[in-house]
Amino acid sequence: MTHSSTMNEPQINTDVQRVDVAIVGSGFSGLGMAMQLKRSGQDSFVVLERESALGGTWRDNHYPGAACDIQSHLYSYSFKPNPEWSRVYAEQPEILEYLKNCSSQEGIEQHLRFNSEVVRAEWNEDSHEWLITTTSGHYAARVFITAAGHLSDPKYPDIAGIEEFEGEKFHSARWDHDVDLAGKRIGVIGTGASAIQIIPQLAQQAGTLTVFQRSAPYVVPRMDREYSPAEQNMFARLPETAKDLRRELFWANEARFPQRRGIEAFINKVTGLALGHLENQISNVELRERLTPDYAIGCKRILISNTYYPTFERENVVLETTGIASISGNSVIMKDGTAHELDVLIVSTGFEASDLPISYLIHGVEGESLADRWSGGEQAYACSTVNGFPNLFIMNGPNSGLGAGSIIFVIECQINYILGALEHLEATGSTRIEISRDAEDGFADMVNEKAQGTVWVDGGCKSWYVDQRNGRLTTIWPDFMSRFRENNGIFNSAGYEIRAPAEKVLA
């Protein structure tokens, strides 16, 4: 990809900004991609962000108690270490500040386009570029990278009457800090990763707190603490010590993967840890039974908390496991006919992870949307590219999530893969790259084969990891993180059709 060509060619439509690369999203994926483009000497790119500030998930999720459940020194860019992490598990404000610092220190701010939500993106076969319409203007890009992420669009449960709830209502990912919660009758729908951080915080100020649990999560102890000034100083003065810690954390997380493969010894060990944690923290036998999961551990995300279970022994907290039938007025009606009157309803039921909203806006060679292409379930070659959508790279898309480990590792693998593809285009003087359908299907079948026997498929639970349209594991990578790098972190042109401007097909 030659950078001079796009910058010097005449602009037919002066309203269109032409760039080599357009990136959607300014969370960890989009910013990381931008930083590495910048470091590689590329300057012709924009980062399109629908909100008025950067940060992605860590900008949007500012609920009480918001924190990461991966250790700070692993949940950060390997190429941008932060010796000043204040604790083992960083909280939301510190992570957001880290991303802001990365952007300013790496010179990304001039490339950010805020309040620029993508309305439509379509491939132009004549000019070999993506035409992107946003709420702030039009762009033409040789390469289109979507880094919108799994956890960007809140998902509401399908409950009759939820739209008409007469009290205050909001999603945990769109927290309304203007709502006074002190002494109120509060309900929380959901017991996932966000909910278990929110619930202990709410219990301290609610008059009554009702937690509506559909299925109990497995929870293990949170081994958190502050880093001392001496440790922070050591990480700063001796960067190798921080690298060693990161390496140690990586392999400790990697060692957890056999649990997900259903290997009995590993399953028994982590199950014992989780159920032992529950028993240590909940003395009431009946309550403990209702907080005990009925599926194999790891089938859903294993959560970490020292404060979640004890919250249910408070007098002002109710655990409701009957199941919600409907919502009427300001009452949540249970399947047994009982009702809970509430002042505030907080929905904490996750995100549109297996049906990515941005896929409805991207249109390929035949005009077909990516959502239509994925109507039977998501898939992408090397978790990054899709047949019929040339020069499109997807970050945090199909099979790029992890059951154990840091998503930042996956993000860096995908950045390396995309950079490799761009280098190949430039080296060959090409303007178009597209994976073949056979290669894409073959990759999807390989992933599906790896998924068989894992707890996500055979663990007896229903989760957002498995696409209900085809029964396949489409959000999680069903293997070790190190294998993700081997399979999806190094670009190889095999399986791709790569065209030079003269339409000559390159091997």
Side-chain angles (χ1 to χ4, degrees):
M1 181 182 295
T2 55
H3 309 302
S4 57
S5 62
T6 58
M7 299 309 289
N8 296 334
E9 66 188 30
Q11 293 193 15
I12 300 166
N13 182 349
T14 54
D15 293 329
V16 176
Q17 182 181 348
R18 297 193 118 75
V19 291
D20 280 346
V21 181
I23 302 165
V24 179
S26 66
F28 264 103
S29 297
L31 283 181
M33 189 74 240
M35 289 161 67
Q36 291 291 45
L37 281 175
K38 193 82 170 176
R39 288 187 177 197
S40 68
Q42 301 189 50
D43 211 44
S44 176
F45 67 89
V46 290
V47 180
L48 304 172
E49 171 54 60
R50 67 184 179 186
E51 303 295 342
S52 58
L54 62 79
T57 295
W58 295 104
R59 173 201 60 230
D60 296 340
N61 287 269
H62 42 76
Y63 56 78
C68 194
D69 57 7
I70 296 293
Q71 300 94 337
S72 312
H73 281 274
L74 191 58
Y75 197 84
S76 43
Y77 302 118
S78 65
F79 54 85
K80 192 74 175 174
N82 175 24
E84 297 176 2
W85 287 119
S86 67
R87 58 190 313 115
V88 174
Y89 293 96
E91 296 174 352
Q92 178 264 343
E94 190 173 13
I95 297 172
L96 183 57
E97 189 62 26
Y98 168 74
L99 288 173
K100 289 177 179 177
N101 290 339
C102 286
S103 175
S104 60
Q105 292 167 11
E106 298 284 321
I108 304 305
E109 289 171 334
Q110 63 182 304
H111 299 276
L112 292 166
R113 302 291 182 269
F114 293 125
N115 302 307
S116 299
E117 182 170 7
V118 173
V119 177
R120 183 180 177 89
E122 55 188 47
W123 173 252
N124 186 315
E125 187 63 47
D126 293 332
S127 58
H128 287 185
E129 63 188 353
W130 283 94
L131 305 178
I132 305 156
T133 302
T134 77
T135 49
S136 69
H138 302 273
Y139 296 85
R142 294 295 189 201
V143 169
F144 188 36
I145 301 171
T146 169
H150 277 131
L151 311 180
S152 55
D153 291 271
K155 184 174 187 175
Y156 279 82
D158 184 15
I159 298 171
I162 192 168
E163 295 296 327
E164 289 77 42
F165 177 72
E166 291 179 359
E168 299 281 2
K169 180 194 72 186
F170 51 85
H171 195 283
S172 58
R174 299 292 183 268
W175 197 271
D176 188 344
H177 293 274
D178 292 332
V179 175
D180 181 13
L181 300 173
K184 298 293 177 62
R185 298 170 297 177
I186 304 173
V188 176
I189 300 177
T191 52
S194 297
I196 74 153
Q197 295 181 343
I198 293 165
I199 287 164
Q201 300 284 327
L202 290 178
Q204 295 172 33
Q205 53 184 316
T208 59
L209 175 63
T210 305
V211 178
F212 299 97
Q213 173 186 281
R214 188 175 63 182
S215 63
Y218 281 99
V219 184
V220 297
R222 186 179 185 87
M223 311 300 284
D224 196 14
R225 66 176 181 84
E226 291 185 355
Y227 285 118
S228 68
E231 287 174 304
Q232 292 172 317
N233 189 41
M234 176 185 70
F235 293 143
R237 293 183 59 195
L238 303 169
E240 197 57 44
T241 59
K243 286 183 182 176
D244 288 343
L245 173 59
R246 184 186 179 91
R247 199 174 299 117
E248 183 182 311
L249 293 170
F250 175 87
W251 289 109
N253 277 286
E254 193 78 323
R256 291 162 50 208
F257 178 74
Q259 300 162 5
R260 313 306 196 264
R261 279 239 65 96
I263 297 173
E264 191 172 358
F266 289 93
I267 284 278
N268 291 344
K269 183 178 179 182
V270 71
T271 302
L273 176 64
L275 296 183
H277 187 49
L278 172 59
E279 189 170 349
N280 290 339
Q281 294 199 308
I282 297 291
S283 57
N284 183 300
V285 175
E286 185 271 336
L287 178 58
R288 193 190 305 155
E289 284 179 1
R290 290 194 293 138
L291 288 167
T292 301
D294 61 358
Y295 52 87
I297 195 165
C299 183
K300 294 186 178 187
R301 190 167 168 182
I302 300 174
L303 309 178
I304 59 171
S305 177
N306 299 331
T307 57
Y308 178 68
Y309 286 142
T311 300
F312 291 100
E313 296 204 323
R314 294 176 62 110
E315 289 184 3
N316 67 329
V317 177
V318 175
L319 175 64
E320 179 58 83
T321 59
T322 309
I324 299 173
S326 64
I327 292 174
S328 177
N330 72 334
S331 295
V332 177
I333 316 297
M334 310 311 295
K335 289 178 179 176
D336 63 2
T338 58
H340 295 271
E341 285 192 8
L342 302 173
D343 302 308
V344 183
L345 181 61
I346 297 166
V347 180
S348 190
T349 49
F351 301 86
E352 300 286 359
S354 58
D355 187 17
L356 298 179
I358 197 167
S359 65
Y360 291 83
L361 310 175
I362 300 172
H363 299 262
V365 174
E366 303 296 331
E368 177 187 36
S369 73
L370 188 56
D372 285 342
R373 175 73 164 72
W374 282 345
S375 60
E378 294 179 2
Q379 65 178 45
Y381 180 80
C383 305
S384 296
T385 57
V386 179
N387 172 258
F389 295 81
N391 297 24
L392 172 69
F393 296 90
I394 302 159
M395 301 184 72
N396 274 341
N399 295 112
S400 62
L402 289 172
S406 173
I407 194 65
I408 312 304
F409 175 83
V410 166
I411 287 168
E412 292 192 18
C413 289
Q414 294 196 299
I415 289 170
N416 289 338
Y417 188 89
I418 295 168
L419 288 177
L422 300 189
E423 288 166 7
H424 187 84
L425 284 174
E426 175 133 33
T428 57
S430 305
T431 57
R432 190 184 190 280
I433 179 169
E434 180 185 4
I435 193 64
S436 73
R437 185 63 191 257
D438 284 349
E440 182 195 318
D441 287 343
F443 182 87
D445 289 342
M446 179 271 289
V447 172
N448 189 50
E449 193 173 320
K450 281 179 181 285
Q452 302 312 305
T454 64
V455 291
W456 301 301
V457 175
D458 298 333
C461 77
K462 181 180 177 182
S463 77
W464 58 273
Y465 296 151
V466 174
D467 194 314
Q468 300 308 309
R469 294 172 293 190
N470 60 8
R472 284 192 170 195
L473 186 72
T474 58
T475 55
I476 293 281
W477 174 250
D479 206 339
F480 291 98
M481 288 188 288
S482 47
R483 298 251 176 83
F484 186 94
R485 179 168 49 197
E486 289 171 17
N487 284 267
N488 316 310
I490 303 160
F491 177 75
N492 186 321
S493 62
Y496 283 97
E497 181 186 76
I498 300 168
R499 294 188 200 167
E503 299 298 305
K504 181 178 68 176
V505 176
L506 300 170

